[in-house]
Amino acid sequence: MDHLTGVPPVSQELFTFAVRLTTRAGRLSAEGFLGGWSSERKVDGTEVTSVDLAVEELVRKELAAACPEDAVLGEETGPRAGTSGRRWVIDPVNGTQQFTNRVPTFSCDLAYEDEHGPAIGVVHLPMSRQTVAAGRGLGCWLLLGEDPDPLEALRSGQGRLHAHGRTELSGATTQAHNIAGWPESLLTALHRRVMLVPTGGGVLDVLAGRADAWVIAGPAMRYEDIAPLPVIVAEAGGRITDLTGAPVLTGDGSVLITNGPLHDAFLEAVAESGEDHEARALLVDAHPGWAAEGKAITEELLTLLAPLARRAEHIGSTSVPGMAAKPVFDLQVSVTDLAEAADTFDAPLAARGFVRSPYESDHVPAGRDDDPARWAKRLWSRRGGPGPDVNLHVRCVGSPNERLALLFRDWFRAHPEAVPAYARFKRELAHQLADLGSYADVKDPVVDLVAEVAEVWAAETGWRP
């Protein structure tokens, strides 16, 4: 029993199994990297390779044989239910973009969670044959070679990682990940205080003392991307949270890893830059699978939220064929009573990864003298799984904002010639503006203009929602 936490250590045998399975998966990914692969774009706009799929298949097969009662969450093929209360989380190739760009810094990641929380984390770098592995109560280790022996490391103490380094924030070497998507306020605030450098070895560099901190901001990390990190950082004596200071696995998808002493100073610097560190709007080309995925999610939500949910629709840019969009599904559920729906929907949506937003009103189009109360809504968002990222707008049946969302979608579907021009406008806007809030503020008046044209079309054609 750990005398500090009262939580038992994970077994050495399970720790050894996890390390050896991950390094075996790494050998398969290295063979693919040096050989050949095929790739395609997923519904969320990211790339998946044949190597991702092969590695995850290998790991799932081994887990099914060794731990058949445990649940499994994999990036590429989703969740497998279990009966034990324990779960394995797989990221077969963390850094697919690096992989496909022939940059040998990708990793194979595996995490294990039991009834006490994160228990094992393994990050294996196949091309450099380095493995960062930690087991709860067993320490954090840097293991070298293609097939390292974790038990020998535990016996000898060789390779144990202990976070250390500077205690002054000024000039701290800080690896910056996804920096193209950082909000300008965050970038400026940290640039003034620390030495920002591109991501190198990430968590390994911080724990080995080659960097003082690692910051991931911008587009939210998925759960599989960060699942191994809490136990790795904790066992090495570092600290990990999101950029608000919340636990990283239930946070906003950002990550802050430090050597420990610098953590509070980093959080203060982030807070001073502003409360809301929204990512830049990053758009991707339209995916032909968006329509089917949106339909599947709306059907799932309609069943989940019955009987209060009267109607569920896929709306927004991902619902328009050929429209470039952020890889986030906008969905609309129509109800007769917003207050009742809000009270009733919170629990089932939270169980599926949704968080209620404080925003409870839509933009009222210019030139309308409506009571703003008519444009009320409730909004839930899901980022980082399970499943695709979603904005769920709950609006009243017959309300003007419910109608406008459907009119906007249907007008673009009926006028495909207008789609490329609107997509170009959005891309340029996303390129020029620093964050999603500014992006939305500038886009709203353009949406108002489209709505004016769409209203004429609706009157001429007899369109009804």
Side-chain angles (χ1 to χ4, degrees):
M1 189 77 69
D2 188 314
H3 71 284
L4 294 177
T5 65
V7 175
V10 72
S11 77
Q12 294 185 8
E13 292 76 16
L14 195 62
F15 177 61
T16 298
F17 167 77
V19 171
R20 288 183 166 158
L21 177 55
T22 310
T23 55
R24 183 181 169 194
R27 291 195 293 275
L28 180 59
S29 67
E31 291 170 5
F33 183 78
L34 297 172
W37 69 85
S38 60
S39 67
E40 60 183 6
R41 195 157 55 85
K42 296 188 289 188
V43 170
D44 66 2
T46 60
E47 193 171 14
V48 61
T49 71
S50 54
V51 175
D52 291 85
L53 298 174
V55 170
E56 184 163 323
E57 181 181 7
L58 166 69
V59 176
R60 282 177 175 272
K61 182 178 179 180
E62 293 297 319
L63 291 175
C67 312
E69 297 180 350
D70 292 353
V72 177
L73 173 63
E75 180 177 15
E76 305 306 340
T77 48
R80 184 194 80 189
T83 58
S84 67
R86 300 179 292 271
R87 181 171 72 164
W88 297 87
V89 184
I90 311 164
D91 192 344
V93 178
N94 191 347
T96 299
Q97 185 174 11
Q98 291 97 306
F99 184 99
T100 57
N101 287 337
R102 309 295 300 173
V103 178
T105 56
F106 62 92
S107 64
C108 295
D109 299 352
L110 184 65
Y112 172 72
E113 303 164 342
D114 62 14
E115 63 272 26
H116 304 290
I120 296 173
V122 186
V123 174
H124 174 61
L125 301 165
M127 305 312 295
S128 62
R129 298 180 179 179
Q130 298 181 95
T131 305
V132 183
R136 189 181 58 232
L138 302 181
C140 181
W141 305 86
L142 173 60
L143 308 172
L144 303 179
E146 188 175 84
D147 188 18
D149 184 351
L151 288 178
E152 176 58 30
L154 292 173
R155 284 192 293 266
S156 69
Q158 185 174 359
R160 186 157 188 170
L161 291 170
H162 297 278
H164 61 282
R166 67 190 302 122
T167 58
E168 294 292 330
L169 181 64
S170 180
T173 300
T174 304
Q175 293 190 1
H177 189 66
N178 284 345
I179 198 165
W182 282 25
E184 187 175 349
S185 58
L186 176 63
L187 182 60
T188 302
L190 292 187
H191 177 68
R192 289 172 176 169
R193 304 286 298 277
V194 304
M195 184 171 68
L196 291 176
V197 298
T199 293
V203 65
L204 173 57
D205 284 348
V206 175
L207 301 184
R210 294 188 290 268
D212 301 303
W214 187 29
V215 176
I216 305 176
M221 292 288 98
R222 294 182 62 86
Y223 192 92
E224 307 93 87
D225 296 324
I226 57 180
L229 298 178
V231 66
I232 286 175
V233 176
E235 288 293 322
R239 281 186 64 186
I240 179 171
T241 64
D242 73 2
L243 287 174
T244 73
V248 71
L249 294 182
T250 55
D252 62 9
S254 63
V255 180
L256 172 63
I257 296 174
T258 72
N259 62 0
L262 288 175
H263 207 86
D264 288 336
F266 263 99
L267 290 176
E268 289 174 8
V270 171
E272 288 170 5
S273 71
E275 294 183 1
D276 192 6
H277 296 294
E278 294 186 275
R280 285 181 179 270
L282 299 178
L283 274 64
V284 299
D285 291 337
H287 190 286
W290 280 346
E293 188 75 17
K295 183 174 186 293
I297 306 170
T298 54
E299 289 176 349
E300 175 190 356
L301 289 174
L302 192 59
T303 300
L304 175 70
L305 303 177
L308 295 184
R310 303 285 297 276
R311 177 179 183 178
E313 295 277 352
H314 181 195
I315 58 171
S317 292
T318 58
S319 70
V320 178
M323 179 73 79
K326 301 185 299 294
V328 180
F329 288 88
D330 281 287
L331 308 177
Q332 177 171 274
V333 165
S334 302
V335 299
T336 55
D337 188 316
L338 277 180
E340 181 184 12
D343 292 340
T344 306
F345 291 175
D346 261 337
L349 287 174
R352 283 161 175 77
F354 286 86
V355 176
R356 174 94 77 88
S357 166
Y359 298 107
E360 296 189 346
S361 180
D362 283 313
H363 162 75
V364 180
R368 299 192 59 149
D369 58 1
D370 290 8
D371 180 348
R374 298 189 65 215
W375 292 76
K377 71 174 179 182
R378 298 295 183 269
L379 176 65
W380 286 261
S381 298
R382 181 175 70 190
R383 297 292 185 271
D389 290 351
V390 174
N391 293 326
L392 176 60
H393 309 262
V394 176
R395 298 176 171 121
C396 279
V397 173
S399 64
N401 46 349
E402 181 214 32
R403 179 181 182 279
L404 181 60
L406 299 174
L407 174 60
F408 185 83
R409 177 197 68 186
D410 290 354
W411 184 84
F412 271 112
R413 285 179 175 178
H415 297 82
E417 69 280 3
V419 169
Y422 186 66
R424 285 196 300 273
F425 158 71
K426 292 203 302 175
R427 285 189 185 279
E428 182 62 24
L429 190 60
H431 177 72
Q432 294 291 336
L433 295 181
D435 56 66
L436 285 169
S438 301
Y439 173 85
D441 289 343
V442 176
K443 192 178 71 168
D444 279 344
V446 177
V447 172
D448 294 349
L449 293 174
V450 174
E452 288 292 324
V453 176
E455 289 289 2
V456 174
W457 169 77
E460 291 175 345
T461 62
W463 175 88
R464 294 290 183 273

